[in-house]
Amino acid sequence: MFILWWIIVGLIAGWITGKLMSGGGYGALMDIIIGIIGAVVGGFIMRALGFAGSGGMIYTIVVAVLGAVILTLILRLLTKGRVRQI
């Protein structure tokens, strides 16, 4: 059940990040993966800033989107904006 939760949060965060960021996306599968990894990155950043890790579904999605946006920016800098559909 826990894995399903992360996939759902990753899907939502990846979709929202794709809508927030201009340009093409990375495809549905990569958006989910970026959303899941973004949730981890966002959680790490929020803990480092001193915010509690429990806040419900909305908090989790907002943190995942924050992390996914940062991760997408880093990916675009590394790939110089090239988009690869999977």
Side-chain angles (χ1 to χ4, degrees):
M1 189 68 181
F2 186 71
I3 293 173
L4 180 63
W5 170 255
W6 280 106
I7 290 172
I8 292 170
V9 169
L11 176 67
I12 294 169
W15 181 78
I16 292 172
T17 301
K19 297 298 178 191
L20 289 175
M21 307 281 297
S22 62
Y26 290 98
L29 182 61
M30 279 303 290
D31 283 347
I32 292 171
I33 292 170
I34 289 173
I36 293 170
I37 296 171
V40 173
V41 170
F44 177 77
I45 291 171
M46 295 305 276
R47 266 186 262 126
L49 293 175
F51 291 98
S54 61
M57 184 174 180
I58 302 294
Y59 174 81
T60 303
I61 292 172
V62 169
V63 168
V65 168
L66 172 72
V69 166
I70 292 169
L71 184 61
T72 301
L73 287 173
I74 292 170
L75 284 173
R76 287 185 180 177
L77 287 174
L78 292 176
T79 62
K80 297 186 189 343
R82 286 180 272 136
V83 176
R84 188 173 137 199
Q85 296 286 334
I86 292 180

